[in-house]
Amino acid sequence: MALEKVVEVDQIEVKGEYSIQVRTATKVLDDGKQIGGVSYHRHVVHPNSILTSEDAKVVKIAEALFDADCKEAYFVSVNGHPSGEPADSWTEAQLQKYLSKHSVEYKEDDAKSALLTKAKAKYAE
């Protein structure tokens, strides 16, 4: 009697703009025949996910879907501001999010230029 545990990706689904849902199935085989039931596990891959432990098919799909623009849009959707150095192209709301995230005090009625100055100073630290 040779028991073998087999774990394989049996389902890959693209869900929305920023998610790939991956289902793995775990089976126990006895001399090549399945015994017992199948257990399933699901996880989600996002544009910022580390792909080193993912199945090769999942990596190919992620690389095709998650280009640089997609990764940046996902970053903005999660953080409320673009990545990188604060810039004049950022909105007041994005600058406020950046400052709040980095625990920098500001006033709601601060001008955009004042927000940008504070954000750039924090980024330079």
Side-chain angles (χ1 to χ4, degrees):
M1 171 166 31
L3 291 179
E4 179 184 9
K5 176 181 172 182
V6 176
V7 179
E8 60 188 10
V9 171
D10 73 333
Q11 206 173 74
I12 303 169
E13 300 173 298
V14 175
K15 299 283 195 174
E17 286 184 82
Y18 306 125
S19 300
I20 300 170
Q21 183 172 267
V22 181
R23 184 176 83 173
T24 56
T26 303
K27 304 173 188 175
V28 177
L29 307 178
D30 183 7
D31 289 328
K33 292 186 180 184
Q34 181 177 325
I35 59 173
V38 179
S39 67
Y40 297 101
H41 173 76
R42 291 181 187 271
H43 70 278
V44 178
V45 175
H46 295 289
N48 65 342
S49 295
I50 297 170
L51 302 175
T52 53
S53 62
E54 294 296 336
D55 181 83
K57 290 178 270 185
V58 175
V59 172
K60 284 185 180 184
I61 293 168
E63 288 173 345
L65 290 175
F66 301 149
D67 62 6
D69 290 339
C70 179
K71 289 179 180 182
E72 180 63 18
Y74 180 72
F75 184 92
V76 171
S77 75
V78 170
N79 295 287
H81 62 80
S83 62
E85 183 175 359
D88 194 45
S89 60
W90 291 21
T91 66
E92 283 185 43
Q94 290 172 332
L95 289 165
Q96 289 170 341
K97 286 274 190 183
Y98 180 86
L99 293 171
S100 293
K101 183 178 174 183
H102 292 89
S103 303
V104 176
E105 290 187 29
Y106 65 90
K107 296 178 186 164
E108 289 294 322
D109 61 347
D110 278 350
K112 181 180 172 183
S113 60
L115 296 171
L116 182 59
T117 299
K118 290 178 183 182
K120 284 188 172 200
K122 181 63 182 177
Y123 184 80
E125 288 181 356

